[in-house]
Amino acid sequence: MDIIQNLKNIRESVPENVALVAVSKTKPADMVKELYGVGQLDFGENKVQELVDKQQLLPETVRWHMIGHLQTNKVKFIAPFVHLVHGVDSLKLLRVINKEGEKNNRMIGCLFQMHIAREESKFGLDQNALEEILRSDEYHEMEYINIQGLMGMATFTDNSEVVRKEFKNLKRIFEEIKKEFFEEKPDFAILSMGMSDDYLIAIEEGSNMIRVGSSIFGRRNYA
Ligand SMILES: *Cc1c(COP(=O)(O)O)cnc(C)c1O
């Protein structure tokens, strides 16, 4: 498995404005080092412990993305260094991220995770719930979060039309939210959608950040 070649192939198949987060979950830190060595800076993990362990083994210039569900009691472990939290799906979690940001005297980059898939098991907000958060007084008082956009996952299916519709829907939500709540805030610019099996569709539908794991690192050893 030539992970450097895999990375290059993907990089060359997507437009330059699309950020590529290499999802290194379950893979050893040595593989992360290998890709870092050829200039890859963005890496994604979905477990706090694994994220912290790898962060300690890699240079500080690596940009760590927390792409999984984040429990409030674990925010403190990643707050000092995390680059972007992709899975913000409640005011409660945002409150804790803000508090930990304050403790560490840094703004923490966040994406709201939207529920766009058919499956019920996936985390995420619907548009109404997001708007409720964005209208709340508490949200407006938070000074240590930097909301940079939205993230979503499509249904796990071979039916690419279903996937495309879901991405289209997320792009629509992104544009509506941006217009209504972030007009004067250029930081709200990231639409994180697309994984190994669907990133080309995601980009066609407006993604500018893809999270790719198995197509770079090979299959993971769990279902
Ligand atoms: C694992 C994971 C990915 C990458 O999945 P692949 O299919 O291996 O590319 C992307 N996003 C999230 C949220 C993940 O948990």
Side-chain angles (χ1 to χ4, degrees):
M1 170 79 36
D2 186 345
I3 62 173
I4 291 177
Q5 191 58 49
N6 292 344
L7 178 76
K8 282 184 181 156
N9 290 346
I10 293 167
R11 191 63 271 177
E12 278 164 20
S13 71
V14 306
E16 255 184 74
N17 71 305
V18 175
L20 170 56
V21 178
V23 176
S24 47
K25 63 189 186 194
T26 80
K27 302 295 179 182
D30 279 347
M31 282 187 168
V32 177
K33 283 183 188 158
E34 208 179 323
L35 296 189
Y36 177 81
V38 295
Q40 176 66 24
L41 293 181
D42 292 278
F43 292 91
E45 292 284 338
N46 69 340
K47 295 212 165 66
V48 166
Q49 187 61 54
E50 197 176 339
L51 179 50
V52 170
D53 288 347
K54 286 179 191 164
Q55 193 266 343
Q56 287 168 354
L57 295 170
L58 276 123
E60 295 214 335
T61 39
V62 169
R63 298 192 289 247
W64 292 102
H65 296 247
M66 177 60 197
I67 61 171
H69 183 66
L70 180 56
Q71 289 171 277
T72 52
N73 61 342
K74 294 191 174 162
V75 176
K76 58 177 177 285
F77 300 117
I78 60 172
F81 65 86
V82 71
H83 178 68
L84 191 59
V85 178
H86 289 232
V88 178
D89 64 356
S90 70
L91 184 59
K92 182 179 158 214
L93 177 56
L94 204 56
R95 183 182 299 144
V96 175
I97 295 172
N98 184 61
K99 202 178 79 191
E100 294 299 328
E102 181 170 15
K103 278 189 198 161
N104 288 279
N105 194 30
R106 67 187 291 261
M107 300 265 277
I108 298 180
C110 296
L111 304 179
F112 284 109
Q113 181 172 357
M114 306 306 291
H115 180 102
I116 53 167
R118 290 178 175 176
E119 293 117 329
E120 291 198 1
S121 62
K122 298 228 167 109
F123 295 102
L125 296 158
D126 64 25
Q127 190 171 352
N128 285 335
L130 174 58
E131 290 183 1
E132 199 174 305
I133 292 173
L134 295 175
R135 290 203 179 93
S136 70
D137 292 339
E138 187 180 359
Y139 166 74
H140 286 281
E141 284 161 12
M142 295 179 181
E143 294 177 21
Y144 293 90
I145 49 163
N146 180 22
I147 305 295
Q148 297 182 10
L150 304 182
M151 177 272 218
M153 272 190 277
T155 301
F156 185 70
T157 171
D158 288 337
N159 187 336
S160 59
E161 283 317 302
V162 169
V163 171
R164 185 179 296 281
K165 257 173 87 177
E166 291 171 352
F167 285 150
K168 217 184 264 297
N169 185 38
L170 182 54
K171 168 71 169 171
R172 176 192 57 76
I173 296 171
F174 176 82
E175 293 302 337
E176 288 181 14
I177 293 292
K178 185 175 156 75
K179 188 155 185 283
E180 182 158 0
F181 297 93
F182 294 93
E183 192 118 83
E184 309 286 304
K185 295 174 183 152
D187 284 357
F188 189 90
I190 297 176
L191 183 52
S192 168
M193 60 182 194
M195 315 179 11
S196 289
D197 289 337
D198 57 20
Y199 68 86
L200 291 173
I201 301 174
I203 291 166
E204 283 170 9
E205 298 305 331
S207 169
N208 59 16
M209 181 175 278
I210 57 176
R211 310 174 310 272
V212 179
S214 41
S215 289
I216 298 171
F217 294 101
R219 287 182 56 186
R220 289 177 293 274
N221 292 326
Y222 64 87

